[in-house]
Amino acid sequence: MSGEERRQQILDRLKAGRSPISGTDLAREFEVSRQVIVQDIALLRAFHKNILATNKGYLYFSEQEEERKSKRTIKVKHKDSDILDEFYTIVDCGGKVMDVVVEHEIYGQITVDLIISSRQDAVQFVNKCKDSTSKTLNMLTDGIHYHTVEADDREVLDEIEKRLLEKGYLLKE
């Protein structure tokens, strides 16, 4: 199989999936090294901007599906020990945490895709943080960060903000 054929099959596989697929799983499926997959994904992302690289793997999102959702950027502040509660609050209301954004005084805006849509996703993320020697991005900004939150409608987003405000996480501009 040529590299072009493999990349097309990877793209088709990502489009067909509803959850992230790790580079390791793709490498195993296509019988190549993970580094080859990383290079293939980089080439694909140059032409297909809707391939996301998340902490759980690669994900293709449909712009048509995304347009039907309501999105809002929220500003929050909390300690690392509150990350799980923050995520639970959002997903239990029916929201999805798309990313985390911090404003760094030297590097400017740093954005990382998260795609946290369930309690299981939240637990996996927090466990990965605990198992890592790296610090979370909000540690760079004294706990202040932003999330793009997606939901079916504005009322769900309003409820998420209300609950985050009640818990003391939400910062109003």
Side-chain angles (χ1 to χ4, degrees):
M1 169 184 316
S2 73
E4 180 122 354
E5 290 170 326
R6 183 181 59 249
R7 284 186 288 282
Q8 183 58 54
Q9 286 186 19
I10 290 170
L11 182 61
D12 292 343
R13 175 87 162 77
L14 292 174
K15 284 181 176 180
R18 300 293 296 161
S19 58
I21 305 169
S22 75
T24 302
D25 287 344
L26 288 170
R28 193 174 307 120
E29 182 176 333
F30 291 99
E31 298 177 348
V32 295
S33 70
R34 193 173 91 51
Q35 186 58 37
V36 168
I37 295 296
V38 169
Q39 292 169 352
D40 284 345
I41 293 291
L43 289 170
L44 286 169
R45 287 180 79 185
F47 297 100
H48 302 277
K49 298 298 182 193
N50 25 357
I51 297 175
L52 299 177
T54 73
N55 63 328
K56 294 175 284 199
Y58 302 105
L59 179 68
Y60 187 90
F61 70 94
S62 163
E63 291 179 26
Q64 295 167 341
E65 189 177 307
E66 296 298 309
E67 288 175 5
R68 293 190 297 252
K69 300 282 187 176
S70 294
K71 291 183 184 175
R72 187 174 298 166
T73 299
I74 58 171
K75 183 178 184 180
V76 291
K77 179 179 181 178
H78 57 75
K79 299 176 284 192
D80 272 0
S81 59
D82 296 321
I83 292 173
L84 191 59
D85 185 53
E86 174 199 31
F87 288 161
Y88 279 178
T89 302
I90 295 168
V91 300
D92 287 353
C93 288
K96 181 190 289 189
V97 183
M98 302 303 293
D99 58 23
V100 60
V101 180
V102 296
E103 291 292 334
H104 192 274
E105 63 184 58
I106 297 171
Y107 298 111
Q109 182 175 308
I110 302 170
T111 304
V112 177
D113 296 320
L114 294 178
I115 320 296
I116 305 289
S117 58
S118 67
R119 281 181 166 244
Q120 181 181 2
D121 291 345
V123 168
Q124 287 174 347
F125 178 82
V126 169
N127 286 342
K128 193 174 235 181
C129 290
K130 287 179 183 174
D131 293 342
S132 175
T133 57
S134 297
K135 303 288 184 208
T136 57
L137 284 179
N138 67 339
M139 296 299 289
L140 299 174
T141 55
D142 196 31
I144 297 173
H145 56 286
Y146 299 83
H147 291 297
T148 304
V149 178
E150 178 184 276
D152 288 335
D153 55 55
R154 289 192 332 245
E155 290 78 19
V156 172
L157 295 172
D158 291 343
E159 182 64 24
I160 289 168
E161 281 194 347
K162 177 183 163 207
R163 292 194 187 178
L164 291 171
L165 185 62
E166 289 169 355
K167 292 180 179 221
Y169 301 152
L170 187 68
L171 295 177
K172 288 291 190 176
E173 293 289 336

